[in-house]
Amino acid sequence: MIRNTSTGYGLIAIAFHWSMAVLMIGMLALGIYMHDLPPTDPATYELYQLHKSFGFVILALVVLRLVWRGLNPSPKLPDNMKLWEKAAAHLGHTGLYAVMFALPLSGWMMVSASPWGIPTVVFNLLNIPHLPVPAFLGSKQEVEAVFQMIHEYMAFFTMALVLAHVAAALKHHFITRDTTLRRMISTAPAKADS
Ligand code: HEM
Ligand code: HEM
């Protein structure tokens, strides 16, 4: 069961969801951990490179994921959900996709504007060029500071969004007792429609 159906997710959508969920939660934790390290700590440089590398993996995966999503039917939300609940679910998912783009892009802009000019080499293999920093945005220091703030606030917003998302999934599973969580774990609900 590779593709989605109107009743559930196929293998590819499930694999995208869980691999990216692990990466996103890991990156939020790594970001906070490395931010608190002193610049002189021997691990700092490597952890920043690792953070940037996985950030670009997330950026690449979210592009592929949205292409796959466009080529597949989206499973219908359960009929017993109220209109506002369906709207909240769509808004929440849109927000999660948006931050999976905007977090790596704001991080990329931050390091591109940094006067330190530290290169980004994904897993020590692929050199990522710095983005151009338009002069009308201000000095490099100013642009770096703005994107650092955007990146940080967006990361905290993402944590809140993920918590609400997980709470909603658990409510579906344990209170409403529908197939919402099960269909993101197994392809059996998708098969019901094939
Ligand atoms: C989805 C991907 C990403 C997530 C979830 C994420 C998350 C975070 C978090 C939680 C922090 C700590 C914020 C703070 O306490 O100030 C952080 C810091 C940082 N991130 Fe990311 N990040 C992502 C992608 C990237 C990318 C692609 C880059 C660069 C190419 C990047 C560069 C940085 C840098 C340089 C810092 C340290 C900023 C500072 O020292 O204040 N991040 N990130
Ligand atoms: C770790 C706990 C998590 C659980 C239990 C969980 C559970 C779920 C469930 C059950 C769905 C299906 C909703 C539906 O059928 O309409 C879903 C969808 C989704 N989840 Fe998660 N999730 C988790 C983490 C995450 C994280 C960390 C992210 C990204 C930051 C994320 C992003 C998404 C997105 C974008 C969708 C919509 C998929 C689509 O239909 O295109 N999830 N999640």
Side-chain angles (χ1 to χ4, degrees), residues 49-68:
Q49 288 294 336
L50 204 63
H51 182 84
K52 296 193 285 181
S53 300
F54 278 112
F56 282 104
V57 170
I58 290 174
L59 188 58
L61 283 177
V62 74
V63 172
L64 296 176
R65 182 173 178 183
L66 282 177
V67 169
W68 182 252

Side-chain angles (χ1 to χ4, degrees), residues 9 17-18 20-22 24-25 65 69 74-78 89 92-94 96-97 99-100 158 162 165-166 169-170 179-184:
Y9 292 97
H17 178 270
W18 291 111
M20 293 195 73
V22 169
M24 284 294 291
I25 293 170
R65 182 173 178 183
R69 191 179 194 275
S74 287
K76 278 201 316 259
L77 291 171
H93 294 165
T94 307
L96 288 166
Y97 281 121
V99 294
M100 287 189 278
T158 304
V162 169
H165 177 70
V166 175
L170 295 178
T179 59
T180 305
L181 180 57
R182 253 176 296 144
R183 73 186 189 176
M184 199 38 114

Side-chain angles (χ1 to χ4, degrees), residues 130-192:
H130 286 149
L131 293 169
V133 181
F136 71 85
L137 290 178
S139 72
K140 281 201 148 193
Q141 272 104 328
E142 285 164 351
V143 178
E144 183 196 22
V146 168
F147 279 93
Q148 186 177 353
M149 205 174 68
I150 293 175
H151 196 69
E152 182 173 4
Y153 283 128
M154 202 178 338
F156 289 118
F157 170 72
T158 304
M159 290 175 204
L161 205 56
V162 169
L163 279 181
H165 177 70
V166 175
L170 295 178
K171 180 203 173 256
H172 277 284
H173 193 68
F174 291 107
I175 299 176
T176 328
R177 291 175 184 273
D178 57 27
T179 59
T180 305
L181 180 57
R182 253 176 296 144
R183 73 186 189 176
M184 199 38 114
I185 294 172
S186 135
T187 56
K191 288 194 182 110

